[in-house]
Amino acid sequence: MREPIHPPECGKTPLEDFSATYYFLWDDEFFYAAISAQDDNYSYVGPYPNGSDTLQFVFAESPDETQTTNMYIPTIAPDNGAGEIDAKNDFDGWITNDIMDDSTFAASVDPETQDWTVEIKIPWGAMQGDFISDVFPPQTGDQVGFQVLAIDYDEGVLHWFAGNHPTFPWESGGIERINFIERPTAVDDWSLR
């Protein structure tokens, strides 16, 4: 995980303030992503979801990609202040195909604890035709560029911003990777012996 960005006025972010578990799965038709966040203060800033507590990750044709114009960056804030999900992928100057129109997503914020969740199901077909190579849907053994970004705002102030790569996608240093491994078709025994 990249060293988090902490504005000077807020210091280090303790786990009680923000911690999250990300889930990424796929099958032949869809890519699935989700986040379950424990947050002491859900905050939406806007006007875009990446200025808020949000699920954000990156897809690129390869880990060597350095241009954000060649990256999908699905970003979903669970509540835009009016009880609606704010989802965006087609940021200004970046890839223009908005895969959100073809995706299904759900989200919630617990009004008491401020914990929140986001889930998205993206059809592989929505991500075809934008890259030089037709990498989606992936085949077993394929590797594409992939990065996870963790973002936490409190009271409209950025408290936590980190990623699983030494640079952020817009810093032209490449991104991380995801390897598509062979999925088992059946599991005979789930015991942990």
Side-chain angles (χ1 to χ4, degrees):
M1 184 67 92
R2 177 192 168 118
E3 181 64 26
I5 294 172
H6 298 282
E9 67 274 10
C10 73
K12 293 288 184 180
T13 299
L15 288 176
E16 306 85 63
D17 178 24
F18 176 79
S19 64
T21 302
Y22 292 83
Y23 304 88
F24 299 103
L25 306 164
W26 60 87
D27 59 25
D28 292 338
E29 295 183 60
F30 299 99
F31 181 81
Y32 306 87
I35 181 174
S36 175
Q38 293 182 359
D39 197 345
D40 69 338
N41 184 355
Y42 174 76
S43 184
Y44 178 83
V45 181
Y48 299 133
N50 59 317
S52 306
D53 294 342
T54 186
L55 166 66
Q56 186 172 50
F57 60 98
V58 179
F59 258 132
E61 184 176 347
S62 84
D64 300 320
E65 183 57 62
T66 59
Q67 300 298 313
T68 54
T69 51
N70 296 323
M71 298 177 188
Y72 295 110
I73 308 182
T75 307
I76 308 169
D79 187 333
N80 67 356
E84 300 171 347
I85 300 171
D86 188 7
K88 190 170 180 63
N89 174 79
D90 55 338
F91 291 93
D92 297 337
W94 294 355
I95 203 163
T96 56
N97 179 26
D98 189 358
I99 60 176
M100 297 306 190
D101 287 344
D102 297 318
S103 301
T104 304
F105 35 87
S108 67
V109 178
D110 186 311
E112 292 182 21
T113 65
Q114 296 294 288
D115 296 345
W116 52 275
T117 61
V118 171
E119 299 175 354
I120 183 170
K121 179 173 77 171
I122 305 170
W124 290 122
M127 294 190 285
Q128 290 180 329
D130 284 316
F131 298 140
I132 294 172
S133 298
D134 204 6
V135 294
F136 301 117
Q139 304 299 312
T140 298
D142 285 354
Q143 180 183 90
V144 300
F146 187 79
Q147 189 163 340
V148 180
L149 301 168
I151 305 172
D152 179 44
Y153 277 77
D154 281 350
E155 307 283 339
V157 176
L158 178 63
H159 275 227
W160 176 270
F161 193 11
N164 64 331
H165 188 73
T167 64
F168 291 118
W170 43 88
E171 294 176 331
S172 301
I175 60 176
E176 272 305 320
R177 63 204 74 239
I178 191 170
N179 297 296
F180 292 93
I181 61 174
E182 185 174 2
R183 297 185 312 274
T185 55
V187 176
D188 296 327
D189 183 4
W190 283 97
S191 67
L192 298 177
R193 287 177 282 161

